Amino acid sequence: MYDLNSLSLSEIVRCGTEVRAVAAKGDDLSGALYDVAELLHERIRDGAAGPPAFSWLRLAAGETIVTTVPAGVLPAGGWGATGDWRAPGATPMGVQLREVDDDPVRTVLAVGCAGHHLLAGVTVRLDQQTADLFELIVLNLRIGLHRHADPGDAAAREEAYGDLLSAVERAAERQAAQLERTVAELADAATRLRRSQQELREREGRLREETSLVEALHSVGTELSSELDVDRVVQRATDVATGLTGAAFGSFFYNVTDELGESHQLYSLSGVSKEVFAKFPLPRNTSVFDPTFRGVGYLRSDDIRKDPRYGHNPPYTGIPAGHLQVVSYLAVPVVSSTGEVLGGFFFGHPQVGRFTERHERLAVGIAAHAAVALDNARMYLRQRDAAVELQRSLLPRIPRVDGMEVVSRYLPAAKGVEVGGDWVDLVPLSAGRVALVVGDVMGKGIRAAAVMGQLRTAIRSYASLDLAPGQLMRQLNTLLAADDDTQMASCVYAVYDLVHGTLSYANAGHPPAVGVLAGQPTRLLTGPVGPPLGTADFPYTEQVVAVPPGEALLLYTDGLIERRDRNIEDRLADLQARIALHPRPTLAAIDDLIAGMVDPAHHEDDIAVLYVRQPPAEVPLTAVAAYPAVASESRAARRFVQETLRGWGVPGERTDTAVAVVAELFANAATHARTRHVELRLHLLPAHVAIEVFDQDNRLPFLIEPTFDDEHHRGLQIVRASSDRWGTRAVADGKIVWAEIP
């Protein structure tokens, strides 16, 4: 019960918690309002054991209105007593009082905020300070009714919690101001009325204790509301509650649901290490624990051993042997605004009578704040998991490439729930060449992720055409600039030629790749850097560098190196020093690099990394021969292929297939190309034999489906049927037609 004549802020906070829980449990909006009205009529009293303080009570949420008149009929006059609440001036916003003489009603109390209203006929004369406390009741009512009004509106619920926190802060400030006024009044009263110094100290002490309780709860609430990690919320709440209650040790048992929908009970401890309890099972739902686990009440005992429920739960007969001694006992449930029991606080002390009513109120207040913080953390975790899953679904699968060591890693930002636009990719090209890609769409959210997906798809499409890096980057820039609502993106596109040991790359505003060779200083692959894609029309060009066998290449996004408190040059130097310790690509190397460069628990940006290397033992064998562009040289070309592949130990069947493919490609070049000579190149790669036929004609051949009696157009059909892949690519002085024999 709550005495309206001496109602305190901590009591109104407790009453608000009850209102929120009752409202959330209602079957519907009208039923919830009626349940809350009944609760307030029952709990708010005129005196500690007096009659109800409300003669009549009316609650409203939007268009829904509930009126209880347990003591008689509503009076005929006075605003809000009768009539339409929606009429202008019927129910003012904020808190207002009107004194009346309509026995037994002495005061009419009106509270309104955000479409929720309370109107009550009060049997005592209320002061404005006490009336202002009922703003917290209406705000808790608003939160509790959220499940009935608009449960899917997370923003509205966050706004409601923010309004409640602001109201608590204002009430705490008023309480502190009232404390100062009361102390002054007590000092003056002591002089005038000759009160004893002891009485003054006792009253001042009570007020200061009340204020310290409010301040402590406010501090805890502020701290917990800023934390979004469930484990840290639970541990911090346990530590604070254990300290403020003076317990020898405290625990918080709570339920979590995994990705499979299965519920698990976990716990945190304070005051002792987990090893102390490691050998004991989790607490059973015995008679002592049941009220807490069901969320139906608090339990405070000076000596729990004397509780009639203690030790009478066969086969359990009390605290197990070896357990820390528990005499004083305090347990408080943690219940969310929807009425869900999230867990419970349990505190123990080996001495008798250690927990007071104040300790219980502190624990209840902390439990309320912990419930809000846990709700926020769980909602944040769900949204973040969904965002990360969306991001991972948009990222490409890095293919396995024979003859290369390839590892990649994507690490989403540790905070925030929006998806990003970072990605890496690897695209196998022709004749022992692979495309390495890293990019970062600026900004966050679905738009950035969508642009990332578009760029990734476009790059793979352009790469299949064997465009040079500079030309491909210009095409991407044109594609991105064509969107009126474009977003900028940085990107590096590189073609790694494993046969010739070269890297040709173009850079659009992205951090430079790093070359890592064991025993040698690392190097930054700088060269020409163009503006980010989507900003301006720019003639991107490529840079070509030699990559010796065994040199690893690291591509990454700026989340790995950018920090607000360090300049970029120092961070690049750190990156080079750390990656030099791992000259071979492995997942452990990448994880160690990321852990050394950023704090995995607090980094603010997404990180994408691609690390590749061609082992020295995997360098392909290659052979080249040039012939005059006449059909009669086809025999010499076939002989060259046969002798070369036999010398490399290629099985006869594969050799015969390669000879047949070369015969067709050579004949096409000698017959149809405008060229003086034809150059034949063979490459023995780990998974296939690559054939390249070069001529000086830049016209590209294409497949023509021959008719039944057509004597021509069958050469490329034979190449297609005999090879795993085939294609063409333009080069500076002509073209190359290539095929891969598995």
Side-chain angles (χ1 to χ4, degrees):
M1 302 299 174
Y2 304 103
D3 184 359
L4 188 59
N5 300 293
S6 60
L7 194 61
S8 67
L9 176 57
S10 61
E11 290 174 328
I12 208 71
V13 168
R14 292 173 62 186
C15 184
T17 302
E18 295 179 25
V19 166
R20 187 167 71 239
V22 169
K25 290 179 179 179
D27 295 332
D28 54 25
L29 185 58
S30 178
L33 285 172
Y34 184 82
D35 292 343
V36 171
E38 289 293 313
L39 171 72
L40 293 176
H41 179 264
E42 175 64 25
R43 300 287 278 166
I44 307 298
R45 295 281 174 163
D46 180 6
F54 293 152
S55 175
W56 50 265
L57 186 65
R58 176 174 288 177
L59 296 177
E63 300 292 329
T64 304
I65 302 173
V66 168
T67 303
T68 61
V69 194
V73 182
L74 289 173
W79 45 258
T82 60
D84 187 358
W85 277 31
R86 293 164 293 179
T91 53
M93 297 296 290
V95 181
Q96 294 194 26
L97 294 173
R98 176 168 293 182
E99 295 185 0
V100 297
D101 289 314
D102 191 3
D103 190 58
V105 176
R106 307 290 302 278
T107 308
V108 175
L109 168 65
V111 185
C113 65
H116 295 73
H117 305 275
L118 177 150
L119 194 66
V122 188
T123 60
V124 299
R125 295 289 188 194
L126 276 184
D127 59 80
Q128 188 64 47
Q129 180 178 344
T130 303
D132 288 340
L133 293 176
F134 283 88
E135 180 185 10
L136 302 182
I137 298 296
V138 176
L139 289 171
N140 276 286
L141 173 64
R142 175 188 175 191
I143 294 173
L145 294 179
H146 180 76
R147 183 174 73 89
H148 308 289
D150 192 0
D153 190 350
R157 188 169 78 170
E158 292 178 2
E159 179 184 356
Y161 276 116
D163 291 345
L164 177 59
L165 180 59
S166 298
V168 172
E169 292 175 345
R170 291 194 300 271
E173 292 172 356
R174 291 194 298 268
Q175 187 96 11
Q178 177 63 24
L179 172 63
E180 295 177 0
R181 291 193 297 270
T182 303
V183 171
E185 291 170 1
L186 286 175
D188 181 64
T191 302
R192 291 184 292 105
L193 302 176
R194 301 175 184 268
R195 289 182 177 176
S196 69
Q197 191 70 25
Q198 181 62 32
E199 179 185 354
L200 178 61
R201 284 196 298 267
E202 289 177 356
R203 184 171 182 182
E204 182 179 352
R206 287 194 301 271
L207 290 172
R208 291 193 180 280
E209 180 179 345
E210 188 74 20
T211 301
S212 67
L213 185 149
V214 172
E215 291 175 345
L217 291 179
H218 175 258
S219 176
V220 171
T222 301
E223 183 176 357
L224 291 179
S225 64
S226 64
E227 183 57 69
L228 293 174
D229 181 87
V230 172
D231 292 337
R232 287 198 289 267
V233 166
V234 168
Q235 188 60 57
R236 184 56 183 155
T238 308
D239 291 341
V240 171
T242 302
L244 291 178
T245 58
F249 62 88
S251 61
F252 183 10
F253 289 86
Y254 60 102
N255 297 315
V256 296
T257 303
D258 62 20
E259 62 274 8
L260 299 178
E262 297 181 356
S263 180
H264 304 276
Q265 188 177 64
L266 303 177
Y267 68 96
S268 64
L269 289 173
S270 184
V272 293
S273 66
K274 279 197 172 185
E275 287 73 15
V276 175
F277 288 87
K279 63 181 180 180
F280 300 110
L282 293 176
R284 275 79 172 183
N285 198 21
T286 61
S287 299
V288 172
F289 293 132
D290 180 67
T292 307
F293 285 137
R294 289 195 297 116
V296 297
Y298 322 126
L299 178 56
R300 175 167 56 91
S301 174
D302 290 338
D303 190 343
I304 192 62
R305 298 170 300 180
K306 297 179 180 179
D307 190 292
R309 294 165 294 186
Y310 178 83
H312 299 292
N313 301 276
Y316 312 113
T317 57
I319 294 177
H323 194 283
L324 291 176
Q325 185 69 18
V326 178
V327 178
S328 294
Y329 176 79
L330 174 61
V332 175
V334 178
V335 184
S336 75
S337 61
T338 62
E340 178 188 359
V341 180
L342 304 178
F345 281 116
F346 300 88
F347 307 99
H349 199 285
Q351 298 178 7
V352 175
R354 296 293 301 207
F355 299 126
T356 65
E357 181 183 358
R358 182 177 185 275
H359 292 141
E360 179 182 326
R361 290 158 60 194
L362 279 167
V364 170
I366 295 172
H369 285 299
V372 174
L374 277 174
D375 267 347
N376 291 339
R378 295 196 305 173
M379 180 172 63
Y380 165 81
L381 185 61
R382 288 193 296 267
Q383 293 176 343
R384 174 173 168 77
D385 287 345
V388 171
E389 182 62 28
L390 172 61
Q391 176 75 358
R392 294 193 186 278
S393 70
L394 293 173
L395 291 173
R397 292 182 179 273
I398 304 298
R400 179 178 178 273
V401 178
D402 292 318
M404 285 189 70
E405 298 170 349
V406 179
V407 294
S408 64
R409 178 72 81 202
Y410 169 74
L411 187 68
K415 295 185 177 180
V417 298
E418 291 190 303
V419 294
D422 295 31
W423 89 99
V424 292
D425 201 359
L426 185 148
V427 184
L429 302 176
S430 63
R433 297 156 57 251
V434 293
L436 310 178
V437 186
V438 62
D440 182 4
V441 178
M442 299 181 186
K444 292 279 189 181
I446 298 297
R447 174 64 180 164
V451 172
M452 181 270 286
Q454 293 168 1
L455 289 177
R456 185 201 72 189
T457 302
I459 289 174
R460 288 203 162 198
S461 299
Y462 292 147
S464 69
L465 300 177
D466 262 316
L467 297 182
Q471 184 181 2
L472 182 143
M473 205 68 78
R474 292 193 293 272
Q475 293 292 337
L476 283 180
N477 192 40
T478 301
L479 175 68
L480 203 56
D483 189 348
D484 293 334
D485 190 24
T486 188
Q487 289 184 250
M488 295 186 297
S490 64
C491 182
V492 169
Y493 178 80
V495 175
Y496 186 11
D497 190 332
L498 302 175
V499 174
H500 300 98
T502 62
L503 185 76
S504 175
Y505 60 94
N507 189 329
H510 200 82
V514 181
V516 185
L517 184 61
Q520 300 293 329
T522 59
R523 58 170 175 163
L524 296 177
L525 304 183
T526 52
V529 179
L533 300 172
T535 58
D537 185 16
F538 186 80
Y540 294 95
T541 59
E542 60 262 15
Q543 175 92 354
V544 181
V545 297
V547 180
E551 183 175 23
L553 300 172
L554 176 73
L555 290 80
Y556 54 92
T557 55
D558 58 6
L560 185 64
I561 59 172
E562 288 187 351
R563 276 182 53 178
R564 297 178 182 178
D565 58 344
R566 297 281 301 277
N567 64 59
I568 196 67
E569 289 78 11
D570 290 344
R571 293 290 289 167
L572 285 172
D574 288 347
L575 176 65
Q576 289 180 262
R578 292 183 182 279
I579 196 60
L581 302 176
H582 304 285
R584 294 194 61 177
T586 63
L587 287 176
I590 293 299
D591 291 341
D592 185 67
L593 174 67
I594 293 175
M597 294 295 295
V598 301
D599 181 353
H602 296 93
H603 67 101
E604 299 178 353
D605 198 3
D606 297 355
I607 297 173
V609 177
L610 178 65
Y611 198 21
V612 302
R613 174 178 178 265
Q614 180 191 34
E618 299 292 346
V619 175
L621 298 175
T622 187
V624 180
Y627 304 93
V630 294
S632 60
E633 292 294 326
S634 176
R635 177 179 296 180
R638 296 197 302 271
R639 185 183 302 111
F640 168 74
V641 174
Q642 188 176 55
E643 293 176 352
T644 301
L645 296 186
R646 285 179 178 174
W648 289 346
V650 176
E653 183 178 348
R654 293 176 68 191
T655 299
D656 293 342
T657 302
V659 169
V661 169
V662 167
E664 296 299 334
L665 294 180
F666 190 94
N668 273 356
T671 303
H672 302 293
R674 299 166 184 169
T675 183
R676 291 187 299 273
H677 68 273
V678 178
E679 186 173 286
L680 176 60
R681 305 167 186 170
L682 299 178
H683 312 297
L684 182 60
L685 300 169
H688 55 263
V689 174
I691 299 169
E692 294 182 305
V693 176
F694 164 80
D695 63 59
Q696 296 166 307
D697 191 341
N698 57 13
R699 295 175 301 164
L700 300 180
F702 55 90
L703 281 172
I704 298 177
E705 193 68 31
T707 61
F708 179 75
D709 56 353
D710 195 346
E711 297 294 334
H712 304 286
H713 308 136
R714 301 186 185 276
L716 291 181
Q717 298 288 351
I718 295 174
V719 172
R720 182 180 67 173
S722 302
S723 58
D724 192 19
R725 295 195 308 158
W726 79 279
T728 64
R729 73 174 185 272
V731 293
D733 50 354
K735 68 174 179 293
I736 292 175
V737 184
W738 57 270
E740 294 176 351
I741 309 301

